[in-house]
Amino acid sequence: MQPQELENYLQPRFSDCEVKVGGDDYHFLVTVIGEVFEDLNAVKKQQFVYKQLNELIADGTVHAVTIKTYTPTEWSAQNT
C-alpha cells in the first residue's frame, strides 16, 4: 500500500478531520487533525486512530505506523 492509498482509505473514516499520510509501502506516518481530539488524552487519541488501522495491521498491509494527532489549534501552532 502506498501512502496515498492509505490516506484515501482513512479520510472517509475521519470525515471531520484532515488526514495526511507519509512513508513507504509498510512504514507510515499518519497525521490526523481535527476537533475530535480536543477533549481526549494522548492514549485515547492513539486508540481513536488505531481503531481504523487495526484491520490493515492485522493482515500485514501496514507493518509499522507512527501516529500524530492534533486539534486544528495545535496544528496551526506546529506550523507557524
Side-chain angles (χ1 to χ4, degrees):
M1 177 173 276
Q2 295 294 313
Q4 187 61 51
E5 292 173 295
L6 182 56
E7 188 172 310
N8 292 343
Y9 174 85
L10 290 173
Q11 187 60 65
R13 289 162 173 78
F14 298 106
S15 59
D16 293 338
C17 298
E18 180 179 355
V19 177
K20 299 175 181 287
V21 179
D24 57 31
D25 295 348
Y26 295 101
H27 300 86
F28 298 96
L29 170 59
V30 175
T31 304
V32 184
I33 305 136
E35 291 292 337
V36 67
F37 299 118
E38 189 67 44
D39 295 323
L40 299 179
N41 65 36
V43 171
K44 294 290 184 190
K45 290 175 181 180
Q46 294 287 311
Q47 290 172 337
F48 185 82
V49 178
Y50 268 117
K51 183 177 179 182
Q52 301 304 323
L53 290 168
N54 280 338
E55 183 179 325
L56 297 177
I57 292 169
D59 73 11
T61 301
V62 174
H63 175 70
V65 63
T66 300
I67 297 171
K68 296 194 179 219
T69 58
Y70 301 94
T71 64
T73 302
E74 291 169 336
W75 179 251
S76 181
Q78 278 283 353
N79 295 290
T80 55

